[in-house]
Amino acid sequence: MSEPAPPHSPAPPWTRRALVLASALLLSGLWIVLDAAGVAMPSLARHWPLFVILGGVASLADYTWVSRRPGALGLGVFGVTLGVDLYLLTLRELSWRRVGLWGPGIYLAVGLGCLAAWGADRQRSPRLLVVGGAALGLAITFWARGAIPMALFWGGLLLLLGVAIVVSVLRRAR
């Protein structure tokens, strides 16, 4: 009789990151070679955030169909959100001088990424919840200057984060 095949071991985490990086390098290299060969290609200087968005989509696909790793979900949400924010900048929908309009999008990307990773695995430490809530709060603070009372907003946000941490700790203690 033949021995059964050894169980398939999952790829190390660096392998997935390396494949996403390799994909970005291959796509950008192909883009540059085709442009140099005279093929009409859109300007890479204007469309580079598409690679950030594609990296985010790749991480979301990894989470959905392969690994179910909360980190992949968080990284995917971060990549798509950051890529869209930067794409608006490179398409000149927003200007570098108007950092108040696009800059908070970076906080938004960090906040949504952390909250997505925490939401996918609430048994983990509430650190991602705190960082995500604070980053989301900063994005709202910068975008809503003068539109909402900041003391009320931050007081409410801190209360919500405190309650969420208590609930998270009590769940883990069971």
Side-chain angles (χ1 to χ4, degrees), residues 52-77:
V52 178
I53 294 170
L54 288 174
V57 169
S59 289
L60 291 173
D62 173 36
Y63 173 78
T64 303
W65 292 298
V66 180
S67 71
R68 304 298 292 173
R69 290 178 313 114
L73 176 63
L75 190 58
V77 170

Side-chain angles (χ1 to χ4, degrees), residues 76-129:
V77 170
F78 170 77
V80 170
T81 307
L82 181 65
V84 168
D85 185 46
L86 295 172
Y87 204 34
L88 290 172
L89 184 62
T90 61
L91 290 177
R92 292 183 178 71
E93 297 295 321
L94 302 172
S95 72
W96 283 100
R97 288 185 209 146
R98 307 230 19 218
V99 70
L101 293 176
W102 63 268
I106 296 170
Y107 291 117
L108 179 69
V110 170
L112 291 178
C114 288
L115 291 174
W118 175 78
D121 184 10
R122 293 184 190 168
Q123 299 302 319
R124 293 174 61 188
S125 162
R127 265 186 306 221
L128 288 172
L129 172 65

Side-chain angles (χ1 to χ4, degrees), residues 19-39:
L19 290 175
V20 169
L21 176 62
S23 298
L25 292 172
L26 289 168
L27 287 172
S28 55
L30 179 63
W31 193 317
I32 292 168
V33 166
L34 289 174
D35 187 49
V39 176

Side-chain angles (χ1 to χ4, degrees), residues 118 129-130 133 152-168:
W118 175 78
L129 172 65
V130 172
L152 182 62
F153 169 74
W154 276 98
L157 179 63
L158 293 174
L159 285 170
L160 284 172
L161 286 174
V163 167
I165 290 170
V166 168
V167 168
S168 177

